[in-house]
Amino acid sequence: MAGNTYGTIFKLSTFGESHGVAIGGVIDGCPAGITLDLNEIQNELNRRKPGQSAIVTQRKEPDTVEFFSGIFEGVTTGTPIGFAIHNTNQKSHDYTHIKDSYRPSHADYVYDQKYGFRDYRGGGRSSARETASRVVAGAIAKQFVSTIKINAFVSQVGTLKLEKSYQDLDFSLIESNPVRCPDPSTALKMEDYIKKIKKEGDTIGGIITCVIQNVPIGLGEPVFDKLHAELGKAMLSINAVKGFEYGSGFEGVTQKGSDHNDQYNSDGTTKTNNSGGIQGGISNGMDIYFNVAFKPVATVIQPYETIDKEGNMIQTQGKGRHDPCVVPRAVPIVEAMAAIVLADFTLLNRTIKL
């Protein structure tokens, strides 16, 4: 299996399966001399881990990260940073019923067709549990680009949409509720809705908005490595993501160019920010903001029809511990991938001029 490494200079390679001994990774290219707050890295993992509220999967994993290399006395050494997160609460028997069949909208069928073999326990490598390794790398990247502020939050669950611009929100409220929506009244409605969906044995999708502030001018490479293109790739690599838009996004097509253009102020800032902080693939110093759309979780705890390995139509039912809505736990993953992209482009910028 190829494609387990992300990044150009700041690189992350991940390993492990959902029900294996451990998941983990190796970070290559992280500069030496970065003083790390290891507690903050663990805190980022705690934001993603299962079992943290009534609206997420009840799998109980401490998700404690163990570092093996690349850090000495709390400071990066410049050598590869190796780490692992041990799995402690696997219930592989929950998946024996799908050993010889394929769950709709999962990777089961395509893995079998591509590799001729698959780890059916929790989806194996295709499980979103792999993203815990990304959160570790993202937490380190955040501390490397510490002057840049990255805040993601849930802005939509199903049809329930946060009807406020990000400028009117208090980001300190993001962690005040299990949905991670910074508007308390909307968050309560979202929470009640997710609980209702869970009780029905069903799932629902949503949107995460990410805002990146204090971005220096000049991050991003024109043509194929545009900053927004790399952010899009990073977000679309996250499990269950179906859409990405930045700046004015799809709504921008309804405007005329004369209205959509971001007119300059004398200091180089712009009066509006329909560009989403990126022009010509390069950051312009304004806020970068984007939306990431997540589909409903594919595992529903309801009877359904599918096929087995012989192509026979069979009746089965979803089992196990699953998120009724993935977006609350995906917030730190979106932030982590954004941080990795920014760390990588920051290092790339050091190679272009004295």
Side-chain angles (χ1 to χ4, degrees), residues 6 134 208 210 212 220 224-247 250 276 278 281 288-294 333-334 336-342 345:
Y6 181 80
R134 306 182 189 204
I208 292 175
C210 186
I212 310 175
F224 296 116
D225 293 331
K226 292 178 171 71
L227 179 56
H228 58 275
E230 202 59 41
L231 284 169
K233 178 183 178 180
M235 299 307 144
L236 289 164
S237 75
I238 301 171
N239 306 60
V241 170
K242 288 295 185 181
F244 171 82
E245 65 172 356
Y246 79 102
F250 291 105
I278 303 170
I288 295 172
Y289 61 97
F290 56 83
N291 292 324
V292 187
F294 288 77
I333 304 168
V334 168
M337 291 306 296
I340 292 169
V341 170
L342 293 171
F345 274 118

Side-chain angles (χ1 to χ4, degrees), residues 32-274:
I34 303 170
T35 300
L36 295 177
D37 183 340
L38 299 181
N39 289 329
E40 185 55 32
I41 296 172
Q42 186 59 53
N43 182 59
E44 290 292 313
L45 272 173
N46 292 344
R47 295 173 68 208
R48 195 220 69 97
K49 75 178 182 180
Q52 59 185 273
S53 75
I55 60 171
V56 303
T57 173
Q58 293 307 294
R59 177 173 176 171
K60 300 293 184 182
E61 290 284 0
D63 276 2
T64 302
V65 62
E66 183 179 2
F67 290 102
F68 300 112
S69 62
I71 301 172
F72 179 66
E73 295 182 342
V75 180
T76 59
T77 63
T79 61
I81 299 173
F83 64 90
I85 303 161
H86 288 269
N87 295 321
T88 64
N89 191 223
Q90 310 98 311
K91 290 187 177 181
S92 301
H93 58 81
D94 286 345
Y95 298 91
T96 54
H97 69 293
I98 62 161
K99 181 177 182 292
D100 297 311
S101 63
Y102 307 112
R103 297 167 296 176
S105 292
H106 283 78
D108 300 345
Y109 178 76
V110 291
Y111 264 54
D112 239 359
Q113 295 300 305
K114 181 176 177 67
Y115 301 108
F117 182 81
R118 68 183 172 98
D119 183 347
Y120 62 85
R121 304 166 303 165
R125 184 69 177 153
S126 68
S127 169
R129 183 144 180 75
E130 178 271 339
T131 60
S133 299
R134 306 182 189 204
V135 172
V136 174
I140 292 173
K142 276 186 178 182
Q143 295 186 44
F144 170 50
V145 294
S146 59
T147 58
I148 299 174
K149 304 304 177 186
I150 305 171
N151 288 284
F153 57 89
V154 175
S155 56
Q156 186 169 341
V157 172
T159 59
L160 295 174
K161 188 174 183 180
L162 178 57
E163 300 290 351
K164 290 182 180 180
S165 66
Y166 77 82
Q167 294 94 337
D168 298 325
L169 298 172
D170 181 357
F171 292 156
S172 69
L173 298 177
I174 293 172
E175 295 296 318
S176 67
N177 59 78
V179 183
R180 294 198 166 95
C181 173
D183 182 70
S185 61
T186 305
L188 187 59
K189 293 176 184 176
M190 290 176 173
E191 183 178 357
D192 289 342
Y193 184 51
I194 293 171
K195 288 178 178 177
K196 176 179 177 292
I197 292 293
K198 180 181 180 181
K199 188 176 292 186
E200 294 171 357
D202 218 328
T203 63
I204 194 70
I207 292 176
I208 292 175
T209 297
C210 186
V211 181
I212 310 175
Q213 298 170 305
N214 300 335
V215 183
I217 298 172
L219 297 185
E221 301 299 319
V223 192
F224 296 116
D225 293 331
K226 292 178 171 71
L227 179 56
H228 58 275
E230 202 59 41
L231 284 169
K233 178 183 178 180
M235 299 307 144
L236 289 164
S237 75
I238 301 171
N239 306 60
V241 170
K242 288 295 185 181
F244 171 82
E245 65 172 356
Y246 79 102
S248 60
F250 291 105
E251 288 297 316
V253 305
T254 65
Q255 296 180 275
K256 296 178 181 178
S258 55
D259 296 323
H260 189 270
N261 286 346
D262 295 320
Q263 301 297 325
Y264 283 105
N265 297 309
S266 59
D267 62 357
T269 60
T270 56
K271 299 180 188 301
T272 55
N273 189 19
N274 291 313

